[in-house]
Amino acid sequence: MIPLNYFLVLSIILFALGAIAFFVKRDLITQFMAIEIMFNAANLAFLAFAKSAGSLDGQIIVFFVITVAAAEAAVGLAIILLIFRQKKTIKSEDIKLMKG
Amino acid sequence: MTDYFWLIPFIPALSTLILVLFGQKLPKKYVSFQACFAVFASFAISVISFIGLLQTSHEHLPIIKNLFSWIHAGSFQADLALQLDPLSSIMTLVVTGVGFLIHVYSVGYMADDEGYTRYFTYLNLFTFAMLILVMGSNLVVMFVGWEGVGLCSYLLIGFWFDKHSAANAGKKAFIVNRIGDAAFLLGIFFIFTHIGSGEFSVINAAIGGGAITQGLATLIAILLFVGATGKSAQIPLYIWLPDAMEGPTPVSALIHAATMVTAGVYMVARMNVLFTFSGSANSLVAIIGAVTAVFAATMALTQNDIKRVLAYSTISQIGYMFIGCGVGAYAAGMFHLFTHAFFKSLLFLAAGSVIHALSGELNMQKMGGLRKYLPLTYPTFLIGAIAIAGIPFLSGFFSKDAILTSAYANGQYLVWALGIFCAVLTAFYMFRLIFLTFFGNERLEPEAKKHLHESPPAMTIPLVLLAFFSIVAGYVGLPVVVGKDLNFFGRFLEPVIHQAHEVHLSLGTEWMLILISIAVAVTGIFIAWVFYIKNPKIPKNIVARFPGLYKLLYNKYYVDEIYNTLFVNSTIKGSEIVYDHFDLKVIDGVVNGSAKTTNFFGKVLSYFQTGYIKDYALIFLLGVILLLGYLLF
Amino acid sequence: MEIPILSIVTFLPLAGALLFIFVNRDKENLLRYLALIISIATFIVSLYLYFNFNAQTPDPQFVEKGPWIGYGINYHIGIDGISLYLILLTTFLMPIVILSSWTYIQKRVKEYLIFMFLLQTGIVGVFVSLNLFLFYVFWEAMLIPMYFLIGIWGGKRKIYATVKFVLFTMLGSLLMLVAIFYLYNLFYKATGTYSLNIFDYYRMILNPSVQVWLFLAFGLAFAIKIPMFPFHTWLPDAHVEAPTGGSVVLAAVLLKLGAYGFLRFAFPMFPDALQKFLPILGVLCVIGIIYGGLMALIQKDVKSLVAYSSVSHMGLIMLAIFALNMEGIVGGIYQMLNHGLSTGALFLCVGILYERSHTRMIKDFGGVSKQMPIFSAFFMVCILSSVGLPGLNGFVGEILCLFGVFKANKILAILAVTTIILAAAYLLWMFQRVMQGPITNDRVRSFKDLNLREIIFLTPIVILMFWMGIYPQTFLRKMDVSVANLLNQVNRKEVIFTKVKKENNPPSYILMEKEIKKDSTAKEDKESQ
């Protein structure tokens, strides 16, 4: 039986990696992947808690997140694709349409 | 015989409706036939009703026909009801009788006008409105007619609306009239609040029963009279009438001489119980009437436009009528209204005939010597002039004398003196007009002379008929000196006109007054003869001697200019300033200012929106950390 | 089962709008004919209301109740003598508006017609609502189509105008929403039940100091809509920029909603506050009358001239309503109809001119009468109706309004009477400059007189003008009882409150009738059956 804390530490490490990648990398695809990693870090934490508490709630949430993440990935990639078509770039510094 | 009197106004109304709907498709001949016939039919019913009225005993007066309940809301109750009594009967006779003749005259006068159908539509509409005015049995219905005639006057003055001056004159007439109407309306409201009804019979009974105080009666009477000064062109609202001469001449004859402008007099006579009860309002009426009479007559002295002379003369003559009403001799005022309708419309129509003959020339300085070219117009014109000047045996003499005698008898010597002075002026300017037009050497434009011709029978026959009435109309109201009970006119009106007290003068005084009137009339004519026939240089010398006075008169005392600066221009200027500085700057400024302030704060806050997704994520992360810190520690 | 006739009148246009979604946008004429048919059908159905209206009772008629969200938020509609004519006016004008836009609107015909129908449903909905929430929903829903009508089909400064219009109206209505919630809460505290039924609120008496604030919140929303001086500046802008059809609806019906709001909500619910504010409101109205008239006098744009004349006329209507007597309120309502007809018609006339010249500036015209005699006649009648000439509708309303005011306050009446002078001045002067005089602009020579379609849509208005002027009893008769009832409500509450006020500690509400029934939807349903 692996203790709960191991999972949580792994989850934190994954999350931190994702966050750092998000800030360090410049192209949208990589940033997108970084977000996915953070998602999965959260999923891992959920699962670990669910297992240790012996409740199914955490697992249900994880399923939910996975489904939503799949949909979100599709939409997100489509948007990135469209941005590339319009702007010929996917560097996040070049995109500031929402500037006030 | 009086059963169908209520049809009188509706025949012209029906004719109007037909002309409005189908007029453009109907042949010209038919249009004029229908228009004239409608008025003639009304006239016939008026005559029948009049005869019926003579046979009706006084207790059954007035005969009221309630058509339907019109406006009923709360305590405001007004029915569409018409009434027949001596006063309205006389008015219907005048309106339809003179109106018919003028309709016939118009057939000739307007023959070549492209707005022929439109003209007769308006004319019929006017007849309808005027009949509603005189036959309404309550103030509200009277007001309907009152505004209705105002509208027709507007439409007909601006008949040739592609001329700026005509369009302007029509608008001016309507707006000036509206000022009077506003006061009239307030008067009606006072009557409704304090008496609770607009029916004339109820009002008269209520005043008799002491429903209102004398002060209130004076206030109401003055408000109504302000309305009358608008419609009847008295000081201070007379300014529209001279300009109204832009309309076709028959219109000037019908509306601005015979009927509509006398509506004010009719109204005062109709409300005579109120005016008499007030007393001081009556004095005001007399004074305004007298002052207007003289004031307008002086302006007529110098005018060169033949129609304008007649217009000022109309204002002046209506002044006489108000003198009559003001001194309590309502019957005399109405009598003058009656005779004036004939001779003044005669004068206008004859002037129209002259203008027609000269292809539209209005300036008397470009006429002269027309006597021989216009063999029918000249004598009829002359009859009209004699009648208005107050020469015995013609109608104007009797009615004017009745008014002046009453003024004298009531002790209003100032008013009487002004009336006498005005009589001199009247005789003078009328004969100045006659001499300048028909006598002396010809000063015609060569172009006009080529087409010079006497008018067609459609125009001359009405002239002859009106001339006939201008002579005989006076004999229905002979003065006391001729015989005791010969004033049929006054006796006929007795059921309507409340005679407070009658002052009788001795026969000697009466004779003296009559002789004075005759003397002043003859003097006026004589001066005119000296000035314009015997020694035509005199007028020029006088002008050279008193250039200021002449200029003042010629420019009509600059009243138009004063009114324009005081009321019209200042209103417009003021409004423009308010619009630019208040509406656009203050009110809109506040609105746009608040929008701008919001915008400004939005701008400031938008600096945080860099558009870079990483910045957002960083702020987000910092937020999460801060939140976590807050939750944990 | 009874036919829900009132719902049909309200929602038939909405159904039309839905139907339009399925029609191909390129078939523009099909769309127009369809719209015409639907609007005429709505009008015919609404006539049923008129003929079956019982003039003897002040109670709401054709009532329909149904559950909606619950907690007092129900579907509850019905009409009385006050709203009846305003509904008829709306349904009457809609086919005319559609006819007038036949060629005027060339782009996005489909959307235009859909928005028109949405607008109609919104307006009629406001008039029929007997539930405060339902009322609010319609009140706001109406804004959206108007926003698009001005924003899409408007003139050069359409964005400015439409934003101004929306912000102005939103400002007022948001405060009203707050007031509605406050009332809702108050009612719950008083009775322990939820209700937004306006008749329950009629029975509730509020502490005057509370009333003041609620009256201000409601009053502001209504005053902006009317618009009363000094909240009027959105109106000229909106009118000038709006397409003809939009202007007509705006002037003819939308402005009446404010006045209607006062009559239906502010008066009976907050009578004490009303009494307190009457002097200020009266003065504002009089200022509006004179100010609007003077501003109209100097406008250079025909449309904004008519817009300012609306400010002036609405001032008179409100003044008459604030007179709080039978003559004034009946006159005010009657004048609302008149103003709807005459100003609507004036905008139609301006639209006709605009279609030919593509300008609205007075100086670009002159001598149009010569080219367009039939139009000139129609235009004249509309102007005279607006001026209040006897024999036409305007007179009846105006004389009743002025008399009502006169009975209440003579000074205000004397000032208000100037409107009959000013109205004549600005309208006739405009007529003179546009229609009369010599032709100065060569463009005018190419003007064609009215075509059959234009005659068809102007004629019913003119006929109605004469009818309402010559035989107003047709219309007045059905208002009396409702107006009397309204006045009664305003006065009755006052009496009761003065009784209670003498106690030391006035509560913030009192219920007039002890047992306000539990507002369960099921029960209401039973009643309506």
Side-chain angles (χ1 to χ4, degrees):
Chain A
M1 186 71 184
I2 307 166
L4 175 65
N5 281 352
Y6 285 28
F7 287 102
L8 292 184
V9 171
L10 179 61
S11 167
I12 288 169
I13 292 170
L14 274 177
F15 191 89
L17 281 175
I20 291 165
F22 185 87
F23 286 110
V24 173
K25 289 294 177 181
R26 302 190 332 164
D27 66 314
L28 285 174
I29 299 274
T30 327
Q31 281 179 315
F32 198 66
M33 285 159 67
I35 292 172
E36 291 296 319
I37 288 176
M38 286 190 271
F39 266 130
N40 286 315
N43 281 347
L44 188 61
F46 267 122
L47 282 176
F49 280 120
K51 180 73 183 161
S52 74
S55 123
L56 275 178
D57 293 1
Q59 301 198 15
I60 292 168
I61 290 175
V62 169
F63 273 118
F64 208 71
V65 172
I66 290 172
T67 351
V68 173
E72 177 252 329
V75 177
L77 284 174
I79 291 173
I80 293 169
L81 210 63
L82 277 175
I83 288 175
F84 181 70
R85 274 197 201 157
Q86 296 230 326
K87 301 249 166 192
K88 299 289 169 215
T89 172
I90 49 168
K91 285 204 174 114
S92 62
E93 288 96 335
D94 298 341
I95 301 158
K96 46 171 187 175
L97 287 171
M98 295 295 283
K99 180 167 168 43
Chain B
M1 290 181 87
T2 54
D3 292 346
Y4 295 103
F5 81 91
W6 56 275
L7 280 174
I8 295 172
F10 293 108
I11 300 171
L14 182 69
S15 168
T16 310
L17 191 66
I18 295 171
L19 289 180
V20 167
L21 294 178
F22 310 110
Q24 299 305 324
K25 298 186 186 76
L26 296 171
K28 257 176 137 178
K29 278 227 170 79
Y30 175 76
V31 168
S32 43
F33 169 74
Q34 185 197 307
C36 296
F37 180 77
V39 181
F40 183 74
S42 288
F43 177 62
I45 300 178
S46 305
V47 172
I48 294 170
S49 308
F50 172 74
I51 296 167
L53 201 60
L54 287 178
Q55 296 160 352
T56 315
S57 66
H58 287 183
E59 297 87 71
H60 296 116
L61 291 179
I63 303 162
I64 289 180
K65 172 83 184 175
N66 199 332
L67 292 172
F68 55 80
S69 52
W70 188 34
I71 309 177
H72 280 206
S75 63
F76 192 89
Q77 312 275 333
D79 290 339
L80 200 65
L82 301 178
Q83 72 171 4
L84 186 72
D85 68 351
L87 196 58
S88 59
S89 180
I90 287 173
M91 289 304 285
T92 51
L93 284 174
V94 170
V95 172
T96 54
V98 176
F100 172 66
L101 291 177
I102 293 172
H103 271 73
V104 173
Y105 177 92
S106 303
V107 175
Y109 191 84
M110 299 298 286
D112 305 323
D113 199 280
E114 54 180 271
Y116 194 76
T117 313
R118 189 161 57 93
Y119 175 82
F120 279 102
T121 315
Y122 292 166
L123 224 50
N124 269 191
L125 181 64
F126 169 78
T127 314
F128 164 65
M130 190 68 206
L131 288 169
I132 288 284
L133 195 168
V134 298
M135 293 178 72
S137 82
N138 60 50
L139 277 167
V140 184
V141 176
M142 187 197 226
F143 190 74
V144 172
W146 189 267
E147 291 260 286
V149 292
L151 166 72
C152 297
S153 163
Y154 163 76
L155 292 171
L156 284 162
I157 295 169
F159 183 72
W160 290 307
F161 54 75
D162 42 352
K163 252 182 13 189
H164 266 310
S165 53
N168 246 330
K171 181 194 66 189
K172 181 173 172 185
F174 196 86
I175 294 171
V176 173
N177 264 304
R178 274 256 156 165
I179 297 172
D181 294 353
F184 190 6
L185 205 56
L186 286 175
I188 294 179
F189 289 160
F190 269 111
I191 288 177
F192 260 98
T193 29
H194 292 277
I195 294 173
S197 170
E199 292 291 326
F200 295 124
S201 45
V202 180
I203 296 171
N204 289 349
I207 294 170
I212 53 175
T213 62
Q214 201 167 10
L216 186 62
T218 306
L219 178 64
I220 297 172
I222 289 175
L223 284 170
L224 295 184
F225 181 63
V226 172
T229 61
K231 195 105 299 177
S232 292
Q234 298 293 294
I235 291 173
L237 298 177
Y238 70 91
I239 46 161
W240 62 273
L241 188 61
D243 289 5
M245 296 301 126
E246 291 286 345
T249 310
V251 168
S252 312
L254 178 61
I255 300 185
H256 306 120
T259 55
M260 185 192 85
V261 287
T262 56
V265 182
Y266 165 76
M267 192 257 277
V268 173
R270 174 58 79 197
M271 302 301 292
N272 65 75
V273 178
L274 176 76
F275 277 85
T276 309
F277 178 67
S278 152
S280 36
N282 244 357
S283 318
L284 181 78
V285 172
I287 289 164
I288 294 274
V291 172
T292 311
V294 173
F295 186 69
T298 55
M299 288 188 281
L301 296 177
T302 55
Q303 297 302 311
N304 285 327
D305 182 323
I306 187 167
K307 283 179 75 182
R308 278 181 189 253
V309 175
L310 292 176
Y312 284 112
S313 145
T314 304
I315 300 175
S316 163
Q317 295 300 311
I318 296 170
Y320 271 116
M321 298 174 205
F322 278 117
I323 296 177
C325 295
V327 299
Y330 299 99
M334 284 303 293
F335 187 35
H336 196 55
L337 186 160
F338 179 70
T339 57
H340 175 258
F342 294 112
F343 61 72
K344 186 48 70 66
S345 52
L346 168 65
L347 286 170
F348 264 112
L349 293 186
S353 178
V354 172
I355 297 163
H356 194 71
L358 296 176
S359 322
E361 183 58 65
L362 289 164
N363 191 344
M364 292 192 297
Q365 301 297 350
K366 293 185 179 163
M367 295 179 186
L370 292 175
R371 198 162 26 150
K372 51 182 180 290
Y373 299 108
L374 304 172
L376 258 173
T377 307
Y378 164 62
T380 49
F381 207 131
L382 192 62
I383 289 171
I386 298 175
I388 196 175
I391 297 297
F393 311 117
L394 277 81
S395 60
F397 165 75
F398 296 112
S399 53
K400 199 186 281 188
D401 185 62
I403 288 171
L404 291 177
T405 309
S406 306
Y408 189 87
N410 278 292
Q412 306 255 27
Y413 300 118
L414 176 71
V415 169
W416 176 81
L418 284 171
I420 288 291
F421 178 55
C422 179
V424 187
L425 298 176
T426 310
F428 174 79
Y429 68 67
M430 265 342 282
F431 276 84
R432 169 177 175 265
L433 191 156
I434 291 277
F435 294 141
L436 279 176
T437 313
F438 293 103
F439 290 81
N441 43 356
E442 292 172 22
R443 302 176 299 273
L444 305 174
E445 300 274 343
E447 192 57 28
K449 192 167 177 189
K450 245 188 265 166
H451 303 288
L452 194 55
H453 59 280
E454 178 60 292
S455 304
M459 288 165 68
T460 47
I461 292 171
L463 284 183
V464 174
L465 285 172
L466 282 172
F468 171 72
F469 284 116
S470 301
I471 299 171
V472 302
Y475 290 90
V476 297
L478 294 175
V480 186
V481 290
V482 184
K484 211 151 181 49
D485 283 323
L486 289 177
N487 190 349
F488 305 110
F489 195 89
R491 273 213 322 256
F492 180 61
L493 280 179
E494 258 164 27
V496 192
I497 283 167
H498 165 87
Q499 288 290 4
H501 52 95
E502 220 168 323
V503 189
H504 285 286
L505 297 167
S506 65
L507 273 187
T509 327
E510 292 255 359
W511 273 116
M512 182 197 76
L513 292 174
I514 288 174
L515 287 177
I516 292 176
S517 327
I518 297 172
V520 294
V522 173
T523 319
I525 296 173
F526 177 73
I527 300 171
W529 180 75
V530 172
F531 273 31
Y532 294 97
I533 301 286
K534 183 141 190 290
N535 195 352
K537 279 189 195 120
I538 296 181
K540 278 184 198 118
N541 290 342
I542 292 179
V543 170
R545 180 87 63 80
F546 306 104
L549 183 66
Y550 175 76
K551 238 177 137 185
L552 188 68
L553 288 181
Y554 187 76
N555 288 304
K556 301 156 256 170
Y557 299 99
Y558 296 99
V559 171
D560 271 329
E561 284 78 3
I562 294 169
Y563 278 11
N564 260 336
T565 349
L566 268 186
F567 302 116
V568 183
N569 291 343
S570 61
T571 308
I572 291 177
K573 277 269 153 59
S575 305
E576 267 165 4
I577 291 169
V578 171
Y579 180 65
D580 289 340
H581 294 273
F582 186 70
D583 212 63
L584 292 184
K585 292 213 173 114
V586 178
I587 299 184
D588 253 8
V590 170
V591 177
N592 292 337
S594 55
K596 271 184 195 135
T597 322
T598 318
N599 217 347
F600 171 74
F601 283 114
K603 275 253 163 63
V604 170
L605 288 176
S606 79
Y607 283 115
F608 295 100
Q609 297 293 113
T610 56
Y612 294 115
I613 191 132
K614 277 182 185 168
D615 295 356
Y616 298 152
L618 197 63
I619 294 170
F620 180 74
L621 193 69
L622 285 175
V624 169
I625 290 168
L626 279 177
L627 208 64
L628 266 179
Y630 175 76
L631 284 177
L632 292 178
F633 306 107
Chain C
M1 193 192 119
E2 245 181 85
I3 307 165
I5 194 81
L6 208 50
S7 292
I8 294 179
V9 173
T10 315
F11 293 110
L12 195 60
L14 185 67
L18 288 177
L19 174 72
F20 270 32
I21 294 174
F22 303 106
V23 182
N24 187 339
R25 61 165 56 255
D26 297 328
K27 294 183 177 153
E28 291 184 350
N29 269 333
L30 174 71
L31 285 164
R32 289 182 184 127
Y33 280 112
L34 214 54
L36 190 61
I37 291 167
I38 293 167
S39 57
I40 291 175
T42 316
F43 176 57
I44 291 170
V45 177
S46 70
L47 281 180
Y48 175 88
L49 298 177
Y50 174 79
F51 289 114
N52 290 283
F53 187 83
N54 179 1
Q56 309 305 323
T57 166
D59 296 328
Q61 304 181 32
F62 306 101
V63 175
E64 291 169 34
K65 275 186 183 175
W68 188 22
I69 300 175
Y71 300 103
I73 302 176
N74 301 318
Y75 181 72
H76 183 187
I77 58 175
I79 55 170
D80 65 359
I82 299 173
S83 46
L84 170 69
Y85 289 107
L86 292 166
I87 293 169
L88 284 174
L89 179 71
T90 317
T91 54
F92 168 77
L93 281 173
M94 203 42 82
I96 291 168
V97 166
I98 287 167
L99 269 176
S100 76
S101 318
W102 207 265
T103 53
Y104 186 93
I105 299 297
Q106 290 291 353
K107 64 167 190 180
R108 302 198 189 193
V109 178
K110 180 170 158 177
E111 284 84 350
Y112 180 82
L113 296 171
I114 289 177
F115 284 130
M116 271 295 170
F117 279 144
L118 292 179
L119 188 61
Q120 186 179 0
T121 294
I123 293 167
V124 176
V126 170
F127 289 135
V128 297
S129 299
L130 296 178
N131 184 294
L132 271 176
F133 190 81
L134 189 65
F135 159 76
Y136 187 77
V137 168
F138 280 122
W139 178 270
E140 290 290 290
M142 196 177 58
L143 262 183
I144 300 160
M146 201 63 219
Y147 172 82
F148 285 111
L149 284 175
I150 303 175
I152 300 179
W153 292 273
K156 283 188 197 96
R157 292 167 71 227
K158 58 190 176 187
I159 302 298
Y160 172 75
T162 190
V163 170
K164 196 168 172 183
F165 164 68
V166 169
L167 286 184
F168 252 105
T169 359
M170 275 297 209
L171 175 73
S173 41
L174 279 177
L175 287 176
M176 182 166 77
L177 183 65
V178 174
I180 290 176
F181 281 136
Y182 186 85
L183 273 173
Y184 183 58
N185 185 32
L186 215 56
F187 189 84
Y188 179 69
K189 275 199 277 180
T191 62
T193 52
Y194 294 108
S195 174
L196 281 162
N197 182 335
I198 57 169
F199 295 103
D200 289 341
Y201 288 96
Y202 286 178
R203 290 198 295 254
M204 187 160 79
I205 296 175
L206 299 162
N207 184 328
S209 57
V210 177
Q211 280 191 27
V212 166
W213 291 105
L214 292 172
F215 182 84
L216 279 178
F218 271 85
L220 184 69
F222 300 144
I224 288 176
K225 205 75 164 196
I226 288 172
M228 269 166 69
F229 179 87
F231 307 113
H232 64 275
T233 57
W234 64 268
L235 187 71
D237 282 316
H239 267 314
V240 167
E241 299 308 324
T244 304
S247 286
V248 173
V249 178
L250 186 60
V253 200
L254 238 59
L255 305 188
K256 311 301 175 302
L257 293 170
Y260 174 78
F262 270 110
L263 287 173
R264 174 67 79 230
F265 301 100
F267 278 23
M269 290 194 316
F270 321 115
D272 296 292
L274 172 69
Q275 297 290 349
K276 194 172 273 178
F277 284 111
L278 268 184
I280 305 172
L281 290 170
V283 170
L284 279 183
C285 287
V286 167
I287 295 178
I289 293 172
I290 297 171
Y291 187 85
L294 289 175
M295 292 304 107
L297 207 53
I298 51 151
Q299 293 304 310
K300 297 178 174 68
D301 181 316
V302 189
K303 257 191 159 178
S304 83
L305 188 150
V306 182
Y308 274 105
S309 89
S310 275
V311 175
S312 176
H313 278 117
M314 290 308 290
L316 178 61
I317 290 171
M318 287 322 294
L319 188 61
I321 288 175
F322 289 135
L324 288 184
N325 52 33
M326 195 69 190
E327 298 84 359
I329 295 185
V330 169
I333 298 169
Y334 202 72
Q335 188 66 358
M336 280 197 237
L337 307 178
N338 297 334
H339 177 259
L341 285 182
S342 54
T343 309
L346 283 177
F347 277 120
L348 289 174
C349 290
V350 178
I352 287 169
L353 280 175
Y354 183 77
E355 256 190 277
R356 285 162 174 71
S357 63
H358 296 283
T359 171
R360 284 182 303 257
M361 290 296 147
I362 292 174
K363 66 173 167 33
D364 294 340
F365 294 101
V368 179
S369 279
K370 271 265 156 337
Q371 289 295 320
M372 307 173 69
I374 301 176
F375 171 69
S376 168
F378 276 109
F379 198 15
M380 191 77 235
V381 173
C382 299
I383 281 183
L384 293 173
S385 151
S386 193
V387 167
L389 195 88
L392 289 162
N393 53 355
F395 173 70
V396 180
E398 215 165 77
I399 197 169
L400 284 178
C401 284
L402 289 171
F403 183 64
V405 178
F406 186 84
K407 262 180 84 176
N409 187 329
K410 294 196 171 48
I411 309 273
L412 291 183
I414 290 167
L415 292 170
V417 162
T418 51
T419 180
I420 74 167
I421 303 166
L422 281 173
Y426 57 73
L427 284 171
L428 290 183
W429 193 28
M430 183 266 279
F431 188 79
Q432 185 198 350
R433 285 175 295 170
V434 172
M435 302 300 288
Q436 304 183 322
I439 296 177
T440 46
N441 186 345
D442 279 335
R443 196 103 147 269
V444 173
R445 278 181 229 283
S446 68
F447 286 8
K448 291 213 168 52
D449 209 344
L450 299 186
N451 57 33
L452 188 64
R453 175 179 60 82
E454 287 161 335
I455 293 177
I456 287 174
F457 71 68
L458 284 175
T459 309
I461 297 185
V462 169
I463 290 175
L464 206 56
M465 281 174 180
F466 277 101
W467 183 2
M468 290 178 73
I470 293 170
Y471 195 70
Q473 286 304 101
T474 332
F475 304 91
L476 292 177
R477 231 174 27 211
K478 298 203 174 186
M479 288 178 196
D480 288 348
V481 180
S482 299
V483 173
N485 181 48
L486 174 76
L487 278 172
N488 195 18
Q489 272 167 356
V490 172
N491 297 330
R492 187 173 55 168
K493 272 194 182 177
E494 237 188 334
V495 173
I496 289 184
F497 195 80
T498 39
K499 270 188 208 149
V500 178
K501 209 156 43 175
K502 283 175 191 140
E503 295 165 17
N504 286 334
N505 191 13
S508 59
Y509 47 79
I510 306 151
L511 293 175
M512 265 168 61
E513 278 143 65
K514 282 273 159 55
E515 356 92 68
I516 286 192
K517 309 241 161 59
K518 290 249 172 194
D519 180 53
S520 69
T521 355
K523 196 150 193 277
E524 284 194 344
D525 276 356
K526 213 181 278 168
E527 276 169 17
S528 65
Q529 284 158 14

